[in-house]
Amino acid sequence: MATDDVAQLADSLAKTGVEDGELSYKGQGRKLDDAQSVEEMVKEIQDFEGLQALRLEGNTVGVEAAQAIAKALETKSALKRCYWSDMFTGRLRSEIPPALNSLGDALMLAGARLTVLDLSDNAFGPDGVKGIENLLKSSTCYTLQELRLNNCGMGIGGGKILAAALIYNHKKSSAEGSPFSLKVFVAGRNRLENDGATALAQAFKLIGSMEEVHMPQNGINHAGVTALAEAMQHNPGLRILNLNDNTFTEKGAIAMAQALKHLRSIQVINFGDCLVRPEGAKAIAASVSEGLPILKELNLSYGEITEDAALVVAQAVKDKDQLEKLDLNGNCIGEDGCRALKVAMEAMNMSELLGSLSDDEGEPEDDDDDEDEDDDEEEDDDEEDVDEEEVEEEEEEEEEEEEEESTGNKFSTPQSAPRPPEVSSFLSFPSPDKLLKLGPTRALLIEQQVDVSDATKTAEAFLKIASVYKEDNNEVKNAVLDSIDGLLRKAFTSSSFQGYSFVSSLLVLLGLIKSEDKVKPVIVVPGHLQALEHVVRQDYFPKESVAVLEAFMSRNNKTLEPCGNAKNNLQSTLQRVRSQS
């Protein structure tokens, strides 16, 4: 081939981006108003044998130009991928639907079978969705695997139209023996809100083949998030879930945590800037800990997560061998909490996976008045009356709290099977004599009466037993340690027990970290720390939690001042255990 011919071919390839059946005009900034402006393009499309992909991104296409391009596509039955994002810049919104209708009609007439349709960044609103409605319902899209509609301003109306088209497609294609199996859906920045998200959730639930769902920044709150969570459970192959910058609150986060239990193929979870809050973060952490074996990225940034919840999240990822990043930036962890979080990650040899904490907002202020003000708008129609049973439970709890006020050990009573009077009396009002009177089977009796599936109740029971510890009385000392070993060994060896939640609850009850639940800490006595010193040396206690405890015990905290020697001994033991692990 002559040198000039080679150069000419190179220019042509560079100009159109021909590669693997692809014809590209991407980013050329052409202003295509009428048929004359696209004459050259039309000829290239017509002459391209086996056209499989057409890129028109970064140009601006008018109605007449779209009609001319469509005419050239009427014979392109091999076309599979349409990359048509950012294609209507500067056009009137009224121009977009007829342009899309023309292009869609051509694809249907050609008998094309699309796998990718990208119309992102076109800002066409609900009317633009109407422009692709017939195409999405047609057999041309029975084979569609990727639908990208990012930043199109669809709104609630457009979301509903889109959802109806997808549901129609699935039903029609299923009836013809080839069910619609969409894999990738991208629709960020579309103002879908609750109603639009709920409509799409119905489509996702029916389709069941989703692998990636990206719906960030759509003004969705807990009602829409809950609908999406329920739908995701029916898509077990989901790998990426990106709902960044929507408003979960606890309700949405807990619903999504439940969905995650069904998604063992998930690799990327992006719930950043979603206001998951501490309880939501803990619920998500529980699901992460129990499953998600191939998780690579967890983003819970900017969610008003406090120190105790952040530590629970960190502990939840300890066995995730494929984890590449944990993002907890922009939360309310506090300076000391950030240090403890880094220590916890370092103890698990995962420090390099923790993202920056530079935007942490510090510990939240104690202000009950505005605690739930972010929920006001979203819960206007979601008020629920407290039933009689709940009222009775609250009254019982109040009575118990009044009775226990003088002991300094105010806990929620474990709601397990009815206790023998002796065990009940000891757990309500601990004393050395009561513990000894339980006899040689005391450890077993206590084990049977404490719900060890509940980490908080287990921590409460531990502190109650430990409160009667006496270093100078071997009989009491041994009774305490035997009872504690029996209780915690049973707890930590249970597959359902969340050890990281136990440590978090323990730190809250000792007054070392704050909890959003406004839990009143116990009055710390030396026995608490002396019993804990024994526990951290036992084989049942997770070694990765030792570093967390060490970080907190090294702080100057007034609650531990009366326990000077016990605190120092515990610190020394923690350091020694950590160095040996």
Side-chain angles (χ1 to χ4, degrees), residues 34-36 38-39 42 46 63-73:
D34 49 32
Q36 184 177 356
V38 292
E39 280 183 356
V42 165
Q46 290 173 334
V63 175
E64 287 186 24
Q67 290 170 342
I69 294 170
K71 190 68 178 174
L73 292 175

Side-chain angles (χ1 to χ4, degrees), residues 432 435-436 442-443 446 465 473-484:
L435 181 62
L436 294 177
R442 64 181 67 87
I446 293 172
I465 301 168
N473 186 322
N474 285 335
E475 186 180 12
V476 173
K477 174 181 174 180
N478 291 334
V480 167
L481 297 183
D482 287 346
S483 299
I484 285 173

Side-chain angles (χ1 to χ4, degrees), residues 104-289:
D105 289 346
L107 296 175
M108 290 186 281
L109 183 61
R113 293 292 183 268
L114 295 185
T115 58
V116 178
L117 178 60
D118 185 354
L119 289 166
S120 299
D121 301 316
N122 278 315
F124 48 48
D127 290 341
V129 182
K130 292 178 182 178
I132 59 171
E133 182 179 7
N134 289 336
L135 174 62
L136 291 173
K137 289 180 174 181
S138 74
S139 59
T140 294
C141 286
Y142 286 0
T143 51
L144 193 65
Q145 295 183 5
E146 297 184 20
L147 179 58
R148 300 178 182 272
L149 297 168
N150 201 58
N151 191 31
C152 287
M154 290 188 288
I156 294 172
K160 288 182 175 180
I161 295 168
L162 176 61
L166 297 178
I167 290 172
Y168 180 92
N169 181 326
H170 187 271
K171 290 181 177 178
K172 198 79 187 301
S173 61
S174 296
E176 295 184 18
S178 54
F180 176 46
S181 299
L182 188 67
K183 289 181 171 57
V184 178
F185 180 81
V186 181
R189 299 184 65 188
N190 270 290
R191 296 179 283 110
L192 293 169
E193 301 182 16
N194 279 347
D195 289 348
T198 300
L200 285 165
Q202 294 303 309
F204 299 150
K205 182 177 179 180
L206 182 65
I207 293 167
S209 58
M210 303 305 305
E211 295 181 3
E212 296 184 25
V213 174
H214 303 261
M215 297 175 64
Q217 203 173 344
N218 268 296
I220 307 169
N221 63 36
H222 77 82
V225 171
T226 299
L228 288 169
E230 204 271 333
M232 292 306 108
Q233 295 183 39
H234 297 268
N235 290 266
L238 192 70
R239 295 183 296 104
I240 299 175
L241 182 56
N242 176 7
L243 295 175
N244 189 285
D245 199 8
N246 289 291
T247 308
F248 282 36
T249 66
E250 291 93 335
K251 288 185 177 180
I254 290 170
M256 195 57 73
Q258 182 63 34
L260 290 175
K261 294 179 180 179
H262 301 266
L263 303 175
R264 292 185 60 79
S265 297
I266 199 91
Q267 296 179 11
V268 177
I269 299 171
N270 187 344
F271 297 159
D273 207 9
C274 284
L275 202 68
V276 299
R277 292 181 172 157
E279 291 309 307
K282 289 177 183 178
I284 291 168
S287 294
V288 169
S289 177

Side-chain angles (χ1 to χ4, degrees), residues 20-132:
D20 296 332
E22 179 180 290
L23 182 56
S24 176
Y25 301 94
K26 180 179 179 179
Q28 294 184 8
R30 299 190 187 191
K31 192 170 187 298
L32 308 171
D33 295 323
D34 49 32
Q36 184 177 356
S37 65
V38 292
E39 280 183 356
E40 181 184 357
M41 184 183 292
V42 165
K43 186 175 188 311
E44 289 170 345
I45 292 172
Q46 290 173 334
D47 292 345
F48 197 113
E49 295 293 333
L51 180 65
Q52 295 184 30
L54 179 61
R55 289 189 174 274
L56 297 175
E57 312 104 303
N59 299 287
T60 174
V61 182
V63 175
E64 287 186 24
Q67 290 170 342
I69 294 170
K71 190 68 178 174
L73 292 175
E74 288 180 357
T75 60
K76 301 302 176 181
S77 60
L79 188 61
K80 296 179 180 179
R81 303 185 300 279
C82 297
Y83 301 102
W84 296 347
S85 63
D86 190 20
M87 202 172 72
F88 298 109
T89 301
R91 301 292 171 182
L92 296 175
R93 183 169 287 188
S94 59
E95 293 181 79
I96 300 175
L100 290 173
N101 270 319
S102 297
L103 292 166
D105 289 346
L107 296 175
M108 290 186 281
L109 183 61
R113 293 292 183 268
L114 295 185
T115 58
V116 178
L117 178 60
D118 185 354
L119 289 166
S120 299
D121 301 316
N122 278 315
F124 48 48
D127 290 341
V129 182
K130 292 178 182 178
I132 59 171

